[in-house]
DNA sequence: TTGTACGCGTTATCAA
DNA sequence: TTGATAACGCGTACAA
């Protein structure tokens, strides 16, 4: 509330203000804050005192402009309310924060088109790195990234030819493993309850291939919206039950599985005795559900943490080791299938 | 792959490059891109062609430095995997994106301490606005924000004395309404399954007050971790059942309610006939659950959208109308209580 | 409608 | 170890 004395225009203190207060040059203050090793420790102390006295807050806009390093990471996820990606995002945020980076976050939807538009906008922030979800991106996106030569991590899927770095796993193999597991359990009349998404589609391909190997080619299929919700699981299961007699409902996500189980139970059917249910993702509730959901477990948190680490290392010039990380998956047998 | 001809160092094209290509001054190019109304339409066309030819991408670091408007909004949520905040966050992202802002996102945990540290770091980005979750913040945080005189929206709670703007609802009233509803339904032996969080604590206060008015002062209470998960709901319900005979379990969130219902059913108890369960939040699954969860419904999406709108309007100098928005809540009777 | 001059706050570079 | 100077790329303010 105090009016500034004299004709001093109120503005945020700058490096120069700190320098003046400390009786040093602004360059020395800059060094004292960023690379204290290069400055006499007494001088550092003086600087820190002046920073406190002036209430100085660095201007990362100016710093980024001058240094050409923004310390910003652009992160694109399909949807912020898709529980599949939430842990990954949380892990990214934690890891990046520890490494001194900040997250510029966008929900890109489930289409490469909007993703490309968003990235081209985000590039104006001159991010030091980019995190993408999935490996299916528009060519324009790749061009933009290539021209800017920004490090990129793709996540949640795997390919021998990523744009740059990658942390994920094979959805085809996960689908195949699911098919083999269920067939090994003796299920022969599966129905699919799936989402319309690229990685989910690849799981479906693997699944179909596995089923086809055992001559099952006519499994009924119901599609649900994105992000998948509990109610979609119920509705989808209901729809599948109408078509033909099933012994297992294979779901594109645990959420759908939870809903499907609920629908079956509401109809007086026992899971898995009457109809089994298979999930995907091993979300928080899967193990505690009644019955516990048999699912494909992923270390979703690790995807985020490792992707962030990969990116930070690359940015800082220490790209040790593999740049394509297969975190794998684990078919976790529980009660529902 | 083409090596740049002559001694031209490869670098991102700037406004000057575009200007040269278009035979105009850089200032005209800047105007053509930012305020095309002020430029002859033919000139604008020339500029756009030159932008395309050069592959120019604006540098928001430089732009923000010069204009003192970063078009960045710092958003702080407790946790990125807390489904309670996910829709709000998604809505914020969408609205801000439409208005030309980008989200600098941080998960701040559930304590004012870490929140303050994060904000002080984020301030170096010179955000045009800040979104906070809840109304309980450290004094240092308020000081930082006040000194920087940045617009702020607090969300998810209400108080007559916000830092600045606010979009939320009264948790005390929600708690009180819950108590009155359940007492009206005839329940007299409630147990609480709650989370350790500030806003949740206020709901609990309201709840206790409502219960006390009817002489109920000894309701057993079990606390669960944050963010609350399905398994915590099961475990918490199990713990409550050990203490004394209950006719209703009142939960701090729908997730806990879903878990509690599951635990009760697993024990052969009927919900609500044997023990009722009350939720909070009206999450995606609440209506479709079996039994459908009676809960306190909130327009979580609206919190995010309105908060973003409030902030964008303020930044752009058109602060019309109320700056404290009570979005209210709605006690939604379903089957579980 | 377009252009010129300058400043935004910092860091890279080189000199002392 | 510290300082002087010149970018970094853009927008504001004013002039033409």
């Amino acid at each position: 509330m105090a009016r500034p004395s004299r004709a001093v225009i109120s503005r945020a203190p700058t490096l120069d203000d700190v320098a003046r207060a400390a009786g040093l040059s602004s360059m020395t203050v800059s060094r004292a804050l960023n690379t204290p090793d290069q400055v006499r420790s007494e001088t550092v102390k003086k600087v820190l005192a002046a920073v406190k006295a002036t209430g100085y807050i660095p201007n990362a806009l100016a710093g980024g402009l001058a240094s050409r390093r923004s310390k910003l990471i652009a992160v694109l996820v399909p949807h912020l309310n898709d529980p599949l990606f939430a842990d990954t995002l949380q892990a990214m945020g934690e890891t990046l924060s520890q490494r001194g980076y900040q997250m510029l976050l966008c929900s890109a939807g489930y289409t490469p088109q909007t993703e490309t538009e968003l990235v081209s906008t985000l590039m104006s922030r001159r991010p030091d790195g980019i995190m993408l979800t999935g490996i299916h991106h528009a060519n324009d996106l790749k061009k933009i990234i290539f021209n800017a030569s920004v490090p990129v991590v793709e996540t949640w899927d795997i390919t021998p030819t990523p744009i740059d770095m990658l942390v994920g796993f094979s959805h085809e193999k996960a689908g195949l493993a699911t098919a083999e597991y269920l067939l090994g359990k003796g299920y022969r009349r599966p129905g699919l309850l799936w989402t319309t998404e690229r990685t989910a589609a690849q799981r479906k391909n693997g699944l179909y291939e596995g089923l086809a190997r055992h001559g099952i080619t006519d499994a009924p299929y119901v599609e649900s919206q994105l992000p998948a919700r509990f109610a979609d699981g119920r509705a989808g299961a209901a729809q599948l039950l109408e078509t033909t007699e099933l012994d297992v409902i294979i779901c594109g996500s645990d959420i759908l599985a939870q809903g499907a189980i609920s629908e079956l139970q509401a109809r007086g059917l026992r899971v898995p005795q009457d109809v089994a249910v298979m999930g995907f993702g091993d979300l928080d509730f899967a193990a505690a559900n009644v019955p516990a959901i048999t699912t494909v477990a992923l270390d979703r948190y690790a995807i985020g943490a490792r992707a962030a680490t990969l990116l930070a290392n690359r940015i800082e010039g220490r790209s040790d080791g593999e740049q394509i990380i297969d975190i794998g998956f684990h078919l976790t047998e529980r009660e529902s299938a």
Side-chain angles (χ1 to χ4, degrees), chain A:
Chain A
M1 297 309 159
R3 210 187 306 166
S5 55
R6 311 217 181 170
V8 178
I9 295 163
S10 166
R11 56 165 180 72
T14 70
L15 218 44
D16 275 321
D17 296 323
V18 178
R20 221 163 298 138
L24 293 161
S25 78
S26 62
M27 199 52 233
T28 302
V29 175
S30 173
R31 274 192 285 253
L33 296 176
N34 298 318
T35 54
D37 304 341
Q38 299 177 21
V39 177
R40 202 154 49 108
S41 63
E42 280 179 44
T43 312
V44 173
K45 274 181 205 159
K46 252 194 281 183
V47 168
L48 293 179
V51 165
K52 200 156 201 175
T54 54
Y56 172 69
I57 295 176
N59 185 326
L61 261 36
L65 180 59
S67 68
R68 297 160 169 289
R69 273 175 280 106
S70 64
K71 287 279 179 180
L72 240 31
I73 306 293
V75 178
L76 289 112
V77 286
H79 201 279
L80 295 173
N81 193 15
D82 191 327
L84 226 38
F85 305 122
D87 277 329
T88 302
L89 200 56
Q90 173 71 21
M92 280 182 185
E94 287 173 10
T95 307
L96 289 176
S97 184
Q98 279 166 22
R99 300 280 300 249
Y101 295 86
Q102 281 158 12
M103 239 188 342
L104 213 45
L105 186 66
C106 271
S107 69
Y110 296 89
T111 64
Q113 179 55 34
T114 55
E115 185 186 53
T116 304
E117 289 166 17
L118 284 169
V119 168
S120 70
T121 310
L122 288 171
M123 291 308 294
S124 71
R125 301 284 169 191
R126 299 296 188 267
D128 289 341
I130 300 182
M131 305 245 201
L132 300 175
T133 305
I135 56 169
H136 299 101
H137 312 289
N139 276 327
D140 285 350
L141 205 228
K142 296 182 188 177
K143 231 176 274 174
I144 292 170
I145 287 171
F146 182 81
N147 287 336
S149 59
V150 193
V152 177
V153 195
E154 291 167 280
T155 59
W156 267 94
D157 203 342
I158 207 156
T159 166
T161 56
I163 300 178
D164 185 356
M165 297 170 283
L166 186 153
V167 182
F169 62 94
S170 167
H171 289 259
E172 293 231 13
K173 280 188 195 165
L176 205 55
T178 302
E180 276 165 6
Y181 169 80
L182 293 173
L183 290 166
K185 279 287 193 172
Y187 298 107
R188 287 294 178 273
R189 299 188 306 282
L192 270 67
L193 177 44
W194 227 254
T195 54
T196 64
E197 191 233 333
R198 294 297 292 260
T199 62
Q202 286 191 252
R203 290 202 299 283
K204 193 178 53 169
N205 291 344
L207 190 62
Y208 274 149
E209 190 186 326
L211 294 175
R213 285 183 193 170
H214 291 70
I216 300 174
T217 57
D218 58 347
Y221 171 78
V222 164
E223 205 162 88
S224 101
Q225 64 165 2
L226 284 166
R229 293 177 314 182
F230 184 91
D232 303 315
R234 286 198 63 178
Q239 202 179 326
L240 278 172
L241 291 175
E242 282 172 16
T243 57
T244 171
E245 205 157 304
L246 304 173
D247 57 9
V248 58
I249 296 178
I250 313 175
C251 298
S253 93
D254 282 349
I255 295 272
L256 291 174
Q258 191 183 34
I261 289 171
S262 182
E263 178 65 24
L264 292 170
Q265 291 172 335
R267 290 169 177 242
L269 295 168
R270 294 164 304 159
V271 179
Q273 295 87 340
D274 298 325
V275 181
V277 175
M278 177 82 198
F280 174 84
D282 194 22
L283 296 183
D284 293 337
F285 55 81
N289 197 70
V290 181
I293 300 175
T294 297
T295 190
V296 178
L298 312 162
D299 196 340
R300 302 187 304 280
Y301 194 89
I303 294 179
R306 301 197 66 172
T309 302
L310 224 45
L311 205 47
N313 284 349
R314 165 73 70 77
I315 291 166
E316 290 158 18
R318 41 202 188 87
S319 296
D320 36 6
E322 192 49 68
Q323 307 287 300
I324 301 185
I325 298 178
D326 186 346
I327 63 145
F329 58 85
H330 186 251
L331 205 148
T332 303
E333 177 168 7
R334 296 207 178 100
E335 300 162 359
S336 73

